[in-house]
Amino acid sequence: MNVQFFTTYKPRFEELVAAHYAMAEQPRISTAPGLLGNIIASNPDDLSDALVLEAHTGTSNLGEAASVAKDGLVESLWTRLLLSFEVTASMDAPERSEAIAKSLRPIVLDNKSFDRDPDLAVRLEAFTEAVRSSLLDVWCSNREAYITHGDATHLLAKVSRAKHTYLRRTLKVPMMATKVLLTPSTNELGLGLHGAQAPTVGSYNGAVYRALRDGTLIRVAIHLLDTCV
């Protein structure tokens, strides 16, 4: 699920960074807006070669320098997001997305390119909220899709894949989630959609325990040994 989430979310994250910290395509040194203007103002020595080239040849490397700076910002923010994603694993989705979004603030505040930006506080607040809401939206969408249609077999090695298949298809133990464990309505129970009783964590644990006790899970392991040796 995490692999799919990161694949889906990174392009959207890059768009958010570009939207909130955009750079002009053809900046002027004295009036360059956004990130590029701050780069030129705070790091004139670093761009001296580009300025000399522009003066003598009529061409400019400023756009390229700004692009490098933008890419560096995106990668720094993305690296911090991945780290925060790991350390907030125990949180519920709403609190987790807010914590991750706020964890990105020091990356922007420590970037010297923004020292002269009078609107930084406003942009940072808007960026934080945009990251929070987009994280929550994409995460919940991926989670719902995985709970409904998820199949991790293509990500697992041979032994793990066999156990996963047995657990999900033979024992019919789903991924534990609130949606799976919600108390069914009276009509659902009457139609027998969940058997005689509502499913619980204990009922699924019981299914695994019985498979261990009666030896059916051992037979899966023995079959794996026979095919792998």
Side-chain angles (χ1 to χ4, degrees):
M1 178 177 172
N2 287 355
V3 173
Q4 182 62 41
F5 167 75
F6 291 133
T7 302
T8 303
Y9 186 67
K10 189 171 185 181
R12 185 165 175 179
F13 180 76
E14 291 174 346
E15 291 175 0
L16 287 176
V17 177
H20 288 81
Y21 304 107
M23 295 173 291
E25 293 182 0
Q26 295 180 337
R28 293 178 178 273
I29 297 173
S30 58
T31 60
L35 174 59
L36 183 57
N38 294 320
I39 292 174
I40 297 172
S42 59
N43 303 283
D45 294 337
D46 295 341
L47 298 179
S48 58
D49 291 340
L51 298 177
V52 170
L53 178 62
E54 181 180 20
H56 287 280
T57 66
T59 61
S60 176
N61 283 344
L62 293 178
E64 181 180 349
S67 178
V68 171
K70 174 193 168 187
D71 291 343
L73 177 64
V74 171
E75 287 306 312
S76 295
L77 289 169
W78 183 250
T79 300
R80 175 62 63 86
L81 184 146
L82 295 179
L83 176 61
S84 299
F85 193 86
E86 291 297 324
V87 300
T88 57
S90 62
M91 294 183 178
D92 290 334
E95 292 78 13
R96 188 182 193 187
S97 59
E98 182 175 2
I100 293 173
K102 289 182 176 179
S103 75
L104 304 181
R105 288 177 173 177
I107 299 295
V108 176
L109 293 173
D110 291 343
N111 192 313
K112 293 182 179 181
S113 301
F114 297 108
D115 286 350
R116 298 170 184 259
D117 186 352
D119 299 320
L120 178 59
V122 175
R123 287 205 287 169
L124 183 58
E125 187 64 29
F127 176 68
T128 301
E129 174 57 25
V131 172
R132 182 204 65 78
S133 60
S134 63
L135 269 173
L136 184 60
D137 178 49
V138 176
W139 174 257
C140 290
S141 297
N142 276 270
R143 181 182 60 188
E144 289 302 311
Y146 183 81
I147 291 173
T148 305
H149 307 291
D151 183 3
T153 54
H154 65 290
L155 301 173
L156 302 175
K158 186 173 183 178
V159 174
S160 298
R161 184 166 59 249
K163 291 188 292 184
H164 176 83
T165 301
Y166 178 77
L167 185 70
R168 294 284 188 257
R169 298 178 184 175
T170 303
L171 297 184
K172 301 187 183 305
V173 176
M175 178 180 176
M176 295 294 101
T178 302
K179 181 178 180 180
V180 176
L181 299 172
L182 285 175
T183 301
S185 66
T186 303
N187 290 336
E188 288 178 324
L189 288 174
L191 293 173
L193 299 179
H194 300 277
Q197 297 180 341
T200 64
V201 174
S203 65
Y204 291 125
N205 286 342
V208 176
Y209 171 74
R210 287 189 294 274
L212 287 168
R213 185 183 60 185
D214 62 23
T216 54
L217 186 56
I218 298 299
R219 287 195 287 273
V220 174
I222 292 173
H223 175 70
L224 283 170
L225 290 174
D226 290 339
T227 57
C228 292
V229 175

